[in-house]
Amino acid sequence: MVLVKPAYHSHNTKNEVYLLNHQIMKIKNALLSATTALLVLCMVGCKNNNNQQASSNGTDMVAEGNPEVAEITGAPKVPAPVGKRSPKKLIVNLVTSEKEGIIADSIPYTFWTFNNTVPGSFIRVRVGDEITINLKNDANSVLPHNIDLHAVTGPGGGAVASSTVPGKETSFTFKAINSGLFVYHCAAPPVPMHIGNGMYGLILVEPEGGLPKVDREYYIMQGDFYTKASTIKKGVMEFDNDKAVAENPDYVLFNGKKGALLGANMIEAKVGETVRLFVGNGGPNLTSSFHVIGEIFDNVYLEGGSTISHNIQTTMIPAGGAAIVEFKCDVPGDYVLVDHSLSRAFNKGAIGKLRVSGEANPKVFNAKTVAKE
Ligand SMILES: [Cu+2]
């Protein structure tokens, strides 16, 4: 009996275990069904979200007509606003070059460029545009170059498709599906060296209907430069990899040259005008704390995207990022553009000026001071 009992009990236990397992299975199945239902709901929801985005992004927009060559400009100029036109097919012609230029004072440096300038040409399109990038690498180049546009959805932002040896040309086409202000740069190895030599620029993808009208627009791009005496050409400076790895630049510059926005090169506006700055940061390493001394940004398109913030004093622009800042000029005078990491501004070159001319506005700012006895 004693032996049977446990057997009976054992059998009973087996039944109980079976029932328990059966119940667990039922609960598991119920949970699985609930999870599946949730997943389906989520997928439907996500799809709806995507659809909502799709209605405002360019995936399904049709670019019509024959391809046209896009207007592109050197800094600080920008091409004409896109306005309310429908999506088009555009051709952007870029040439990569390795070119001697002046980095500061009378110091020559071997820059690597898009279209012979640092930063490279400003590209302006709208969401839904179909853009063909023709990238020609100058025959005098030593190295292959390419282009990675942050506005591209696709492998490497186009870098692999556009890898171009000296003297050759490559081509690829992409659809601008997200609006915003995007950095482009060379992504050929070693990437920090190509960027550190100046291979970056901005592409603006305007939303449907365009950006609101302003009176003045300018293109400014910050970059950090690491230099040493050239091993190839006496008196010319070239990229110093050790300083780059240590993130210790000799120069932090707006538009690739000390003084590019000073003296005869300063940007201008009049009292009462609205100014829009397209500000990018090529890096390769430093984050910019972009500030205009004596102004408050009425609008900042944060990180170049769709969120607009207001009443901003200083905006952070990451390496490989951008921002659109807008403000109204209320008071005449010189307004100093800086990276507010100020040693960079006052010791390494990240400084420029906006000259605002026009009538004084004592209601907003009164410079008259009463001499105290
Ligand atoms: Cu390159």
Side-chain angles (χ1 to χ4, degrees):
M1 288 291 282
V2 173
L3 285 172
V4 171
K5 211 173 178 183
Y8 174 81
H9 274 195
S10 163
H11 180 72
N12 212 9
T13 308
K14 265 187 190 166
N15 269 344
E16 277 167 15
V17 168
Y18 171 78
L19 281 170
L20 195 65
N21 277 343
H22 188 67
Q23 288 218 320
I24 288 170
M25 282 300 287
K26 270 172 88 174
I27 292 165
K28 267 188 181 168
N29 282 341
L31 276 171
L32 202 64
S33 302
T35 312
T36 310
L38 272 171
L39 203 63
V40 169
L41 273 174
C42 175
M43 279 167 79
V44 170
C46 293
K47 198 158 184 281
N48 279 346
N49 275 343
N50 283 341
N51 282 346
Q52 275 165 14
Q53 275 185 357
S55 67
S56 62
N57 86 15
T59 312
D60 299 321
M61 292 179 184
V62 180
E64 281 167 336
N66 292 322
E68 292 173 27
V69 175
E71 181 200 1
I72 53 175
T73 58
K77 289 191 178 125
V78 296
V82 161
K84 295 200 190 308
R85 70 161 172 82
S86 51
K88 270 187 194 177
K89 290 173 186 153
L90 290 169
I91 297 163
V92 174
N93 294 315
L94 296 171
V95 178
T96 57
S97 67
E98 299 161 13
K99 198 174 173 277
E100 200 178 299
I102 301 297
I103 191 163
D105 308 312
S106 54
I107 302 165
Y109 182 86
T110 306
F111 292 96
W112 296 356
T113 80
F114 288 99
N115 282 357
N116 299 313
T117 58
V118 178
S121 302
F122 194 98
I123 305 166
R124 190 167 197 165
V125 302
R126 64 149 281 173
V127 71
D129 280 351
E130 201 178 288
I131 301 128
T132 297
I133 301 279
N134 294 329
L135 191 78
K136 191 175 179 180
N137 190 357
D138 192 277
N140 294 321
S141 293
V142 175
L143 290 163
H145 297 291
N146 64 31
I147 189 167
D148 166 356
L149 299 110
H150 293 180
V152 167
T153 303
V160 177
S162 63
S163 186
T164 313
V165 296
K168 298 287 180 194
E169 188 172 343
T170 58
S171 188
F172 71 96
T173 299
F174 74 97
K175 185 113 177 150
I177 64 173
N178 300 86
S179 63
L181 182 61
F182 299 95
V183 167
Y184 68 81
H185 61 86
C186 182
V191 186
M193 184 179 184
H194 287 249
I195 295 175
N197 278 333
M199 296 197 82
Y200 45 76
L202 290 179
I203 173 168
L204 172 67
V205 182
E206 295 204 34
E208 188 158 27
L211 290 174
K213 195 188 170 310
V214 290
D215 298 303
R216 309 253 180 177
E217 293 183 325
Y218 293 108
Y219 169 24
I220 299 167
M221 207 157 176
Q222 184 171 320
D224 26 299
F225 291 86
Y226 308 84
T227 65
K228 66 175 179 188
S230 173
T231 50
I232 301 160
K233 206 170 171 192
K234 213 179 163 209
V236 179
M237 303 299 277
E238 65 179 21
F239 183 76
D240 185 319
N241 196 56
D242 293 337
K243 286 181 186 172
V245 171
E247 300 189 10
N248 182 24
D250 299 290
Y251 303 101
V252 182
L253 302 172
F254 292 138
N255 292 352
K257 187 184 178 184
K258 190 178 166 193
L261 296 171
L262 290 174
N265 304 320
M266 67 176 77
I267 54 175
E268 293 176 339
K270 292 193 174 84
V271 169
E273 287 183 334
T274 45
V275 173
R276 175 180 289 141
L277 305 178
F278 297 105
V279 191
N281 185 8
N285 296 319
L286 302 186
T287 294
S288 176
S289 300
F290 186 73
H291 177 78
V292 177
I293 300 172
E295 266 298 347
I296 297 145
F297 303 142
D298 299 320
N299 308 311
V300 176
Y301 293 64
L302 296 172
E303 293 164 15
S306 306
T307 303
I308 302 173
S309 195
H310 304 289
N311 306 323
I312 302 294
Q313 57 193 305
T314 301
T315 193
M316 294 275 277
I317 308 179
I324 303 172
V325 307
E326 297 171 350
F327 51 90
K328 190 177 175 211
C329 300
D330 296 292
V331 176
D334 286 354
Y335 293 82
V336 182
L337 287 56
V338 292
D339 178 338
H340 214 295
S341 292
L342 286 173
S343 297
R344 300 175 189 172
F346 293 101
N347 301 85
K348 295 189 173 182
I351 193 161
K353 267 186 188 174
L354 163 71
R355 175 158 290 174
V356 178
S357 56
E359 289 294 304
N361 190 350
K363 210 163 76 178
V364 177
F365 182 77
N366 193 346
K368 279 181 195 157
T369 50
V370 180
K372 286 180 182 161
E373 293 297 316

